[in-house]
Coordinates of all heavy atoms in Angstrom, one line a residue:
G194 N -49.8 99.9 24.5 CA -49.1 101.1 24.3 C -49.2 102.1 25.5 O -48.3 102.8 25.8
I195 N -50.4 102.1 26.1 CA -50.6 102.9 27.3 C -49.7 102.4 28.4 O -49.1 103.2 29.2 CB -52.1 102.8 27.7 CG1 -53.0 103.4 26.6 CG2 -52.3 103.6 29.0 CD1 -54.5 103.3 26.9
L196 N -49.6 101.1 28.6 CA -48.7 100.5 29.6 C -47.2 100.9 29.4 O -46.5 101.3 30.3 CB -48.8 99.0 29.6 CG -48.0 98.2 30.6 CD1 -48.5 98.6 32.0 CD2 -48.1 96.7 30.4
I197 N -46.8 100.9 28.1 CA -45.4 101.3 27.8 C -45.2 102.8 28.1 O -44.2 103.2 28.7 CB -45.1 101.0 26.4 CG1 -45.1 99.5 26.1 CG2 -43.8 101.6 26.0 CD1 -44.9 99.1 24.6
F198 N -46.3 103.6 27.8 CA -46.2 105.0 28.1 C -46.1 105.3 29.6 O -45.3 106.1 30.0 CB -47.4 105.7 27.5 CG -47.5 107.2 27.8 CD1 -46.6 108.1 27.1 CD2 -48.4 107.8 28.7 CE1 -46.6 109.4 27.3 CE2 -48.4 109.1 28.9 CZ -47.5 110.0 28.2
V199 N -46.9 104.6 30.4 CA -46.8 104.7 31.9 C -45.4 104.3 32.4 O -44.8 104.9 33.3 CB -47.9 103.9 32.6 CG1 -47.7 103.8 34.1 CG2 -49.2 104.4 32.2
F200 N -44.9 103.2 31.8 CA -43.5 102.8 32.2 C -42.5 103.8 31.9 O -41.6 104.1 32.7 CB -43.2 101.5 31.5 CG -41.8 100.9 31.8 CD1 -41.6 100.3 33.1 CD2 -40.8 101.0 30.9 CE1 -40.4 99.8 33.4 CE2 -39.5 100.5 31.3 CZ -39.3 99.9 32.5
L201 N -42.6 104.5 30.7 CA -41.6 105.5 30.4 C -41.7 106.7 31.3 O -40.7 107.3 31.7 CB -41.8 105.9 28.9 CG -41.4 104.8 27.9 CD1 -41.7 105.4 26.5 CD2 -40.0 104.4 28.0
L202 N -43.0 107.0 31.7 CA -43.2 108.1 32.6 C -42.6 107.8 34.0 O -42.1 108.7 34.6 CB -44.7 108.4 32.7 CG -45.4 109.2 31.6 CD1 -46.9 109.4 32.0 CD2 -44.7 110.6 31.5
S203 N -42.7 106.5 34.4 CA -42.1 106.1 35.6 C -40.6 106.3 35.6 O -40.0 106.8 36.6 CB -42.4 104.7 35.9 OG -43.8 104.5 36.0
L204 N -40.0 105.9 34.5 CA -38.5 106.2 34.3 C -38.2 107.6 34.4 O -37.2 108.0 35.1 CB -38.0 105.6 33.0 CG -38.1 104.0 32.9 CD1 -37.6 103.6 31.5 CD2 -37.3 103.4 34.0
L205 N -39.0 108.5 33.8 CA -38.8 109.9 33.9 C -38.9 110.4 35.3 O -38.2 111.3 35.8 CB -39.8 110.6 33.0 CG -39.6 112.1 32.8 CD1 -38.3 112.5 32.2 CD2 -40.7 112.7 32.0
G206 N -39.9 109.8 36.1 CA -40.1 110.1 37.5 C -38.9 109.8 38.3 O -38.5 110.5 39.2
V207 N -38.3 108.6 38.0 CA -37.0 108.2 38.7 C -35.9 109.2 38.5 O -35.2 109.6 39.4 CB -36.6 106.8 38.3 CG1 -35.3 106.4 38.8 CG2 -37.7 105.8 38.8
W208 N -35.8 109.6 37.2 CA -34.7 110.6 36.9 C -35.0 111.9 37.7 O -34.0 112.5 38.2 CB -34.8 110.9 35.4 CG -33.8 111.9 35.0 CD1 -32.4 111.7 34.8 CD2 -34.0 113.3 34.7 NE1 -31.8 112.9 34.4 CE2 -32.8 113.9 34.3 CE3 -35.2 114.0 34.7 CZ2 -32.7 115.2 34.0 CZ3 -35.1 115.4 34.3 CH2 -33.9 115.9 34.0
G209 N -36.2 112.4 37.7 CA -36.5 113.6 38.5 C -36.2 113.4 40.0 O -35.7 114.3 40.7
F210 N -36.6 112.2 40.5 CA -36.4 112.0 41.9 C -34.9 112.0 42.3 O -34.5 112.5 43.3 CB -37.0 110.6 42.3 CG -36.7 110.1 43.7 CD1 -37.3 110.8 44.8 CD2 -35.9 109.1 43.9 CE1 -37.0 110.3 46.1 CE2 -35.6 108.6 45.2 CZ -36.1 109.3 46.3
K211 N -34.1 111.4 41.4 CA -32.6 111.4 41.7 C -32.0 112.8 41.6 O -31.1 113.1 42.4 CB -31.9 110.4 40.7 CG -32.2 108.9 41.1 CD -31.3 108.0 40.3 CE -31.5 106.6 40.8 NZ -30.5 105.7 40.1

Side-chain angles (χ1 to χ4, degrees):
I195 300 175
L196 183 63
I197 295 174
F198 179 71
V199 171
F200 180 74
L201 294 177
L202 281 181
S203 301
L204 294 180
L205 187 62
V207 170
W208 177 78
F210 173 70
K211 287 193 174 182

